[in-house]
């Protein structure tokens, strides 16, 4: 993997620059800094284009800084895509830097950028005056070259005469200079060459003000690659010599640098090694360490988590993976991986026994191998919330969520604020972030499986997170599948309790109960239905409470006695989709009532009536009868009597109007118990009439079958009216009226007239043409049903005049 990002600038001499101008560089794009041993020029790649180049500018000409030229002349050009800039480092001793007394340096250069396919040249310069004094020997281990500079007075081996290098300068600069250099490899002494020949081979020798500079690219044919305590070191031994008549001047110049490439250990440290004594040194070596050209003293570095150790004579430097100044990058290689890049800068200061100081400065780009960066999903679903909650975590900064596929449906971010699914970004202080996704169970995208046989309900959501690695937008996918399983998924059952006035049903909600509907008979239980029938419904998120008062719609009654009766109410649970009845809760409760009238669907009237005011004093309810005096109470006590008889029997009258058919009867104190004066002397204060009203709509079958049958129970009333004294008035005000269904309150008008039941009593009613019958009704005709004398069948007779006055047209 190309992590050094060394910029190879092709020597494209033929390329013709289309535009040459010295346009202004926007603010913040260019950084030029003076470091202690080099110029640092950094330019944003977004400004320069992909292929920025540099040229050194000197009085003698313009020199393109090619890869090879850079290594010979002391320039390093690095493309740093993670920082998004190109960096040029130029040694203060680089070929085309103006040097004033080794104190002030001026570097003039051109930056060649490409804007929309056009090359633009920017002429720039920087002047630096480093404050750090030069050591007698300075070594620079740059990424592409080694450079040694020695102060001229001390460069001769001790004990020999001291030469003034300035005195030798004419010899050096003269065209007839006889300065020679030989390189030494292992024991082999290579043949000498003159300096221009050496320069052709990539070596640079330069005599600056007070210093002799030697520079060599790595990997020269004359260099020596060796291993010191397991650390690879590159060394170039050069000997400069000059024979001037009697005297031979000789300078040994050694350039040696650790070539350790760095290694990553699993404990989270980037390790780099160098032999402790590449140059003559007493034991103590001073170390300064940092990243990106900044140096701090060893103890401060150690405070920042660096570890510096000496193993035998090898110095080991461990950089924590998350050291400030390091760079990390996510990369997809199968899984999501990351690597870290460190631009290590190191200074070693050594002093030999003659107190001569050597300062080594080293620049190395180290990179970890690809390290897995596992991202994870956490199922944070809470069943009670009825929604999947899934957290996707530990995403590095340069990874963004672009979209999610939910069971194959793609949703790009951000989500619509109207959708029921939500996604929230969670940012952590450790530079990671995550996303919380919420999808309700009943969202259409969630797959639902219901197994009725095993009472299992499963919700399933397959999530495919589509992540994007920035800045190149490389996609990465992360899959997760979550499910929620409900066992024991059975239709809801109510808890029912009896009260004096009705039955109370209670249901605790379960999360999956929406799969069923609750109904009373065929009607869905809603608050409207409850209001219509007088049920009391209260429903909150926890439970549903339904109070069904006695005598409201839906009750069935049985075992009616004077002491009491049983009322039954049933709640049905139906499949939400098919409306099929899945279960039911039936509750039967004993009730008591002083009065009661029931009009059954099969044509029976059952009455418990309070007769205390309807019988003469001294009489008992047991001695009462209906219109037909042979119809007598089934049961009676001191005040009440229970009658149960067919609607059409016992002398009932039948009345039909537009909507209803009403059967009426009356409870009398038996005549045979009256005194000789007959009814006149009966001093009762009340008449008790009983009636059952059925809506015609529910009685269609009445006319097609030879049998009474109603869809619905009838509305019964027990009417207590004041005993008329003289002539019967057509309207009699009831004193009390008991009804078996909740009907509109207010004074009830007693029908003015009742058709006397024919004799023998009506038993069966038959209408052969229902439609014409009903249309006749609509026109306001009066129909009287009368039984046939011969066969016990009914004949339908239409009388148009009778009773017209009391019926609306
Ligand atoms: C250096 O050596 C080369 C080949 O040995 C020779 O051609 C060249 O003239 C010499 N240069 C000088 C300045 O002596
Ligand atoms: C130190 O050097 C000794 C002798 O050369 C060697 O046996 C030992 O393994 C070295 N230790 C390390 C940690 O390299
Ligand atoms: C947002 O709305 C568009 C169109 O209205 C729809 O296609 C898309 O699925 C919605 N996204 C989400 C996350 O609901
Ligand atoms: C949803 O978006 C609309 C328009 O984009 C905005 O007006 C509204 O306030 C948003 N609602 C919420 C709850 O964020
Ligand atoms: C970052 O912090 C979050 C929340 O504290 C934690 O879950 C996660 O594991 C951390 N990640 C790393 C790489 O330390
Ligand atoms: C996720 O969480 C829910 C609720 O706690 C649980 O029922 C389910 O088994 C979990 N696991 C998966 C893989 O969905
Ligand atoms: C009662 O409330 C629950 C949840 O609040 C709701 O799902 C249900 O439909 C309601 N039932 C009725 C009958 O209103
Ligand atoms: C029919 O009976 C119902 C219920 O008792 C009543 O509300 C309605 O007014 C009656 N219709 C007529 C026309 O009397
Ligand atoms: C009814 O008549 C009886 C005797 O005939 C009498 O004792 C009683 O007081 C009368 N009651 C009423 C309410 O007039």
């Amino acid at each position: 993997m190309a992590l050094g990002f060394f910029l190879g600038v092709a020597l494209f001499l033929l390329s013709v620059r289309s535009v040459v101008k010295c346009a202004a560089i926007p603010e913040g794009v260019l950084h030029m800094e003076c470091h202690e041993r080099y110029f640092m020029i950094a330019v944003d790649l977004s400004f320069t284009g992909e292929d920025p180049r540099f040229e050194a500018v000197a009085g003698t000409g313009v020199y393109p800084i090619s890869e090879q030229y850079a290594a010979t002349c002391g320039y390093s050009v690095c493309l740093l895509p993670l920082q998004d800039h190109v960096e040029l480092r130029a040694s203060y001793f680089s070929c085309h830097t103006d040097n004033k007394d080794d104190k002030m340096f001026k570097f003039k250069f051109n930056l060649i950028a490409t804007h929309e396919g056009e090359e633009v040249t920017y002429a720039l310069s920087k002047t630096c005056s480093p404050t750090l004094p030069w050591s007698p020997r300075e070594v620079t281990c740059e990424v592409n070259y080694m450079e040694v500079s020695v102060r001229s007075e001390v460069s001769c081996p001790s004990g020999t005469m001291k030469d003034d290098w300035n005195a030798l300068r004419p010899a050096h600069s003269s065209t007839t200079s006889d300065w020679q250099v030989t390189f030494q490899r292992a024991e082999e002494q290579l043949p000498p060459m003159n300096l221009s020949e050496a320069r052709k081979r990539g070596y640079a020798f330069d005599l600056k003000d007070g210093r002799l500079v030697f520079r060599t690219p790595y990997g020269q044919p004359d260099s020596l690659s060796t291993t010191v305590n397991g650390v690879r070191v590159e060394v170039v031994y050069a000997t400069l010599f000059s024979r001037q008549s009697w005297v031979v001047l000789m300078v040994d110049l050694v350039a040696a640098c650790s070539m350790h490439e760095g290694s990553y250990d699993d404990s989270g440290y980037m390790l780099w090694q160098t032999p402790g004594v590449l140059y003559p040194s007493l034991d103590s070596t001073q170390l300064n360490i940092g990243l990106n050209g900044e140096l701090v003293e060893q103890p401060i570095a150690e405070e920042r988590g660096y570890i510096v150790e000496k193993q035998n004579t090898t110095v080991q430097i461990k950089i924590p993976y998350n050291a400030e100044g390091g760079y990390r990058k996510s990369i997809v290689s199968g899984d999501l991986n990351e690597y870290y890049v460190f631009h290590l800068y190191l200074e070693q200061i050594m002093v030999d026994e003659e107190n001569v100081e050597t300062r080594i400065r080293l620049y190395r780009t180290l990179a970890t191998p690809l390290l897995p960066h596992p991202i994870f999903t956490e199922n944070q679903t809470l069943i009670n919330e009825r929604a999947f909650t899934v957290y996707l975590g530990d995403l590095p900064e340069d990874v963004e969520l672009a979209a999610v596929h939910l069971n194959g449906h793609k949703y790009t971010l951000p989500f619509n604020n109207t959708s029921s699914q939500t996604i929230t970004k969670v940012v952590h202080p450790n530079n990671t972030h995550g996303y919380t996704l919420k999808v309700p169970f009943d969202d259409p995208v969630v797959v639902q499986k219901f197994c009725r046989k095993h009472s299992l309900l499963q919700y399933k959501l397959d999530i495919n997170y589509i992540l994007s690695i920035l800045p190149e937008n490389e996609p990465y996918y992360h899959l997760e599948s979550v499910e929620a399983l409900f066992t024991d998924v059975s239709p809801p059952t109510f808890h029912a309790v009896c009260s004096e006035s009705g039955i109370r049903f209670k249901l605790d909600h379960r999360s999956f109960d929406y799969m069923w509907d609750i109904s009373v008979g065929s009607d869905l239980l809603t608050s409207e239905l409850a209001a219509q029938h007088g049920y009391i419904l209260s429903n909150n998120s926890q439970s549903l409470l339904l109070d069904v008062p006695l005598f409201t719609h839906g009750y069935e009654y049985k075992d009616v006695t004077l002491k009491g009766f049983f009322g039954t109410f049933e709640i049905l649970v139906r499949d939400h989709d098919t409306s099929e009845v899945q279960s039911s809760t039936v509750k039967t409760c004993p009730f008591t009532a002083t009065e009661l009238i029931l009009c059954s669907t099969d044509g029976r009237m059952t009455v418990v009536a309070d007769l205390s005011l309807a019988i003469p004093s001294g009489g008992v309810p047991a001695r009462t009868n209906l219109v037909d005096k042979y119809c007598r109470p089934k049961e009676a006590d001191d005040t009440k009597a229970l009658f149960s008889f067919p609607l059409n029997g016992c002398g009932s009258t039948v009345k039909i109007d537009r909507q209803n058919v009403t059967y009426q009867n009356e409870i009398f104190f038996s005549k045979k118990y009256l005194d000789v004066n007959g009814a006149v002397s009966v001093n009762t204060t009340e008449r008790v009439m009983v009636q059952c009203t059925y809506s015609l709509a529910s009685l269609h079958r009445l006319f097609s079958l030879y049998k009474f049958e109603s869809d619905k129970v009838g509305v019964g009333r027990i009417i207590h009216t004041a005993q008329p004294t003289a002539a019967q008035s057509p309207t009699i005000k009831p004193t009390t009226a008991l009804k078996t269904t909740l009907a509109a309150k207010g004074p009830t008008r007693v029908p003015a007239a009742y058709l006397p039941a024919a004799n023998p009593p009506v038993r069966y009613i038959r209408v052969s043409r229902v439609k014409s019958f009903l249309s006749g009704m609509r026109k306001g005709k009066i129909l009287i049903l009368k039984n046939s004398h011969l066969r016990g069948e009914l004949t339908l007779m239409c009388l148009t005049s009778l009773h017209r006055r009391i019926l609306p047209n």
Side-chain angles (χ1 to χ4, degrees):
M1 197 175 35
L3 291 169
F5 304 114
F6 188 83
L7 174 65
V9 182
L11 253 187
F12 227 32
L13 295 172
L14 292 177
S15 84
V16 177
R17 236 160 277 159
S18 53
V19 183
V20 179
K21 61 180 180 189
C22 302
I25 294 186
E27 189 83 8
V29 161
L30 171 73
H31 304 271
M32 296 197 286
E33 291 172 12
C34 298
H35 284 241
E36 272 149 0
R37 291 298 176 255
Y38 59 91
F39 297 97
M40 198 285 292
I41 319 294
V43 198
D44 287 3
L45 283 172
S46 52
F47 171 72
T48 62
E50 277 176 17
D51 187 24
R53 288 180 288 134
F54 294 95
E55 291 168 337
V57 177
T60 52
V62 173
Y63 303 90
I65 300 176
S66 68
E67 181 175 349
Q68 193 197 346
Y69 193 78
T72 302
C73 271
Y75 305 104
S76 305
V77 181
C78 300
L79 267 186
L80 305 170
L82 299 194
Q83 289 106 303
D84 193 35
H85 65 235
V86 58
E87 186 171 300
L88 164 64
R89 291 190 298 273
S91 162
Y92 287 142
F93 296 130
S94 58
C95 295
H96 306 291
T97 300
D98 266 3
N99 180 345
K100 286 225 170 63
D101 303 329
D102 292 338
K103 287 199 174 72
M104 194 169 45
F105 303 92
K106 183 168 188 185
F107 178 42
K108 289 167 82 177
F109 63 102
N110 290 332
L111 163 68
I112 300 152
T114 310
H115 301 318
E116 290 158 2
E118 283 192 351
E119 288 193 341
V120 182
T121 300
Y122 298 91
L124 301 162
S125 76
K126 179 74 178 169
T127 303
C128 293
S129 305
T131 51
L132 183 72
W134 296 94
S135 297
R137 184 191 282 119
E138 295 257 348
V139 180
T140 297
C141 300
E142 249 297 354
V143 290
N144 52 337
Y145 62 85
M146 299 187 276
E147 183 187 83
V148 184
S149 80
V150 290
R151 205 160 68 200
S152 45
E153 318 92 78
V154 295
S155 52
C156 281
S158 63
T160 62
M161 61 174 272
K162 288 203 168 189
D163 296 283
D164 182 1
W165 283 96
N166 284 323
L168 293 172
R169 192 195 273 267
H172 176 228
S173 54
S174 130
T175 48
T176 58
S177 162
D178 55 356
W179 275 104
Q180 304 278 305
V181 59
T182 76
F183 293 98
Q184 191 184 327
R185 216 167 48 189
E187 297 306 308
E188 184 189 2
Q189 185 81 40
L190 301 167
M193 64 184 98
N194 62 28
L195 294 189
S196 47
E197 181 67 20
R199 177 65 186 261
K200 273 190 204 152
R201 298 188 184 194
Y203 302 104
F205 294 93
D206 199 4
L207 186 61
K208 296 287 183 184
D209 275 345
R211 301 184 74 86
L212 178 64
V213 179
F214 164 51
R215 195 180 309 107
T216 168
Y218 292 110
Q220 286 287 88
D222 309 309
S223 74
L224 185 70
S225 195
T226 174
T227 301
V228 181
N229 276 336
V231 182
R232 196 166 75 80
V233 171
E234 183 160 337
V235 190
V236 177
Y237 292 101
T239 306
L240 270 182
F241 64 92
S242 164
R243 197 181 63 197
Q244 304 209 337
S245 59
W246 295 101
V247 185
V248 175
L249 299 172
M250 204 180 251
V251 187
D252 280 330
L253 291 164
V254 182
C257 294
S258 162
M259 300 305 284
H260 193 257
E261 289 180 332
S263 60
Y264 183 76
D265 69 4
D266 291 338
S267 54
Y269 287 96
M270 188 79 221
L271 171 77
W272 189 81
Q273 296 181 319
T274 182
V277 283
L278 275 180
Y279 288 89
S281 169
L282 296 173
D283 225 16
S284 66
T285 302
Q286 191 192 327
L287 270 182
N288 296 309
I289 306 163
L291 297 179
N292 307 318
E294 307 296 336
L295 290 177
V296 295
E297 286 165 20
Q298 182 179 338
I300 296 172
E302 283 170 347
E303 270 173 31
R304 294 180 185 174
Y306 291 68
I307 298 174
V308 180
E309 286 170 341
K310 208 156 183 195
Q311 296 273 357
N312 287 341
T313 60
T314 301
V315 177
Q316 292 193 340
I317 293 161
K318 290 180 171 179
I319 308 165
Y321 75 97
N322 56 355
E324 199 180 318
Y327 295 91
R328 77 164 287 295
K329 174 84 186 88
S330 298
I331 194 160
V332 177
S333 166
D335 278 329
L336 184 62
N337 290 287
E338 63 187 357
Y339 62 83
Y340 292 84
V341 174
F342 306 96
H343 300 293
L344 172 68
Y345 196 46
L346 184 74
E347 183 181 60
Q348 268 178 296
I349 298 165
M350 314 172 174
V351 180
D352 66 13
E353 60 266 21
E354 285 168 43
N355 224 18
V356 175
E357 189 179 79
T358 301
R359 183 193 301 271
I360 304 180
R361 290 220 168 189
L362 174 132
Y363 212 106
R364 284 290 178 265
T365 294
L366 310 174
T368 65
L370 285 191
L371 308 171
H373 183 107
I375 59 175
F376 66 91
T377 34
E378 191 179 302
N379 176 10
Q380 299 179 338
T381 304
L382 294 175
I383 295 286
N384 293 346
E385 288 184 355
R386 301 199 35 73
F388 285 114
T389 307
V390 182
Y391 176 73
L392 170 72
D394 244 11
L395 299 184
E397 282 167 298
D398 57 349
V399 176
E400 283 289 328
L401 183 60
V404 283
H405 283 191
L406 302 175
N407 284 332
H409 299 272
K410 183 172 179 174
Y411 298 96
T412 46
L413 262 65
F415 281 6
N416 298 342
N417 61 7
T418 49
S419 82
S420 61
Q421 310 125 359
T422 59
I423 197 144
T424 333
K425 186 171 178 176
V426 185
V427 178
H428 298 298
N430 61 7
N431 289 334
T432 66
H433 62 280
Y435 295 90
T436 304
L437 172 73
K438 257 186 200 274
V439 181
F441 289 161
D442 43 19
D443 190 290
V445 85
V446 173
V447 171
Q448 252 186 62
K449 276 186 206 152
F450 179 47
C451 171
R452 185 158 285 147
K453 194 168 156 204
H454 299 105
S455 303
L456 294 178
L457 175 66
Q458 187 203 45
Y459 296 101
K460 195 159 187 293
L461 183 64
D462 289 331
I463 309 168
N464 185 357
Y465 292 97
I466 298 166
L467 299 161
S468 178
I469 318 285
L470 303 175
E472 59 273 23
N473 286 327
E474 192 184 2
Y476 177 67
Y477 306 97
H478 185 79
L479 300 171
E480 176 68 0
S481 196
V482 283
E483 57 183 52
L485 188 67
F486 292 94
T487 55
D488 201 17
V489 178
S490 48
T493 46
F494 285 82
H495 178 70
V497 289
C498 300
S499 75
E500 242 177 64
S501 58
I503 304 178
R504 161 169 286 202
F505 293 91
K506 185 169 185 252
L507 177 70
D508 290 327
H509 291 307
R510 299 171 303 174
S511 56
F512 44 80
D513 278 348
Y514 71 94
M515 293 180 21
W516 291 280
D517 286 336
I518 297 161
S519 73
V520 175
S522 55
D523 301 324
L524 193 64
L525 177 64
T526 58
S527 41
E528 291 74 33
L529 185 85
Q532 183 192 338
H533 290 315
Y535 308 146
I536 300 147
L537 174 68
S538 52
N539 185 22
N540 60 26
S541 56
Q542 258 81 53
S543 58
L544 179 148
L545 207 60
L546 180 70
D547 277 310
V548 188
L550 185 60
F551 299 130
T552 52
H553 169 86
Y555 266 101
E556 279 182 16
Y557 309 93
K558 60 177 182 185
D559 299 343
V560 180
T561 66
L562 285 179
K563 290 208 173 63
F565 60 97
F566 289 93
T568 300
F569 198 89
E570 182 175 28
I571 290 188
L572 300 177
V573 172
R574 294 172 187 271
D575 185 290
H576 179 73
D577 299 323
T578 66
S579 291
E580 222 174 273
V581 175
Q582 299 291 319
S583 75
S584 71
T585 304
V586 182
K587 182 71 179 175
T588 300
C589 295
F591 295 102
T592 56
T594 45
E595 290 206 311
L596 170 70
I597 178 164
L598 303 175
C599 307
S600 76
T601 53
D602 63 354
R604 266 195 106 70
M605 196 186 298
T606 305
V607 184
V608 173
D610 181 352
L611 301 176
S612 41
L613 296 175
I615 51 177
S617 53
V620 288
R623 295 182 176 168
T624 53
N625 57 255
L626 297 173
V627 171
D628 179 341
K629 64 178 192 253
Y630 298 110
C631 295
R632 317 217 348 145
K634 292 180 82 176
E635 208 187 332
D637 62 13
D638 291 346
T639 55
K640 292 177 293 178
L642 164 68
F643 290 92
S644 179
F645 57 99
L647 287 172
N648 293 322
C650 295
S652 298
T653 54
V654 185
K655 188 202 154 199
I656 295 183
D657 59 28
R658 288 174 175 227
Q659 291 173 330
N660 301 321
V661 54
T662 300
Y663 299 87
Q664 175 162 301
N665 214 310
E666 188 166 348
I667 301 170
F668 298 102
F669 190 71
S670 286
K671 288 202 170 62
K672 60 178 175 179
Y673 301 111
L674 294 178
D675 61 17
V676 287
N677 297 324
V680 181
S681 68
V682 173
N683 61 354
T684 57
T685 57
E686 211 179 63
R687 288 178 68 189
V688 179
M689 282 170 289
V690 293
Q691 56 173 238
C692 280
T693 301
Y694 292 86
S695 103
L696 282 170
S698 68
L699 279 181
H700 284 177
R701 272 181 281 167
L702 167 70
F703 303 108
S704 54
L705 298 173
Y706 290 77
K707 192 178 168 190
F708 188 96
E709 205 176 317
S710 167
D711 293 338
K712 294 181 189 154
V713 294
V715 178
R717 297 205 294 173
I718 299 175
I719 304 166
H720 297 267
T721 61
Q723 180 69 275
T725 45
Q728 268 191 347
S729 118
T731 54
I732 298 167
K733 247 188 163 198
T735 47
T736 56
L738 173 95
K739 293 185 72 186
T740 51
T741 58
L742 292 185
K745 299 258 157 56
T748 311
R749 205 171 65 93
V750 170
Y754 292 94
L755 301 168
N759 190 24
V762 175
R763 297 216 185 273
Y764 299 108
I765 301 172
R766 177 182 168 218
V767 175
S768 45
R769 280 159 64 200
V770 177
K771 274 210 176 114
S772 61
F773 168 72
L774 289 173
S775 57
M777 297 288 283
R778 241 172 266 124
K779 283 182 192 133
K781 288 178 184 168
I782 301 300
L783 305 172
I784 296 179
L785 305 173
K786 220 177 165 188
N787 71 321
S788 139
H789 293 274
L790 297 172
R791 307 217 310 270
E793 277 187 6
L794 276 177
T795 315
L796 185 65
M797 291 164 65
C798 296
L799 302 185
T800 53
S801 56
L802 195 61
H803 298 298
R804 183 172 267 177
R805 66 197 152 84
I806 60 158
L807 288 165
N809 264 320

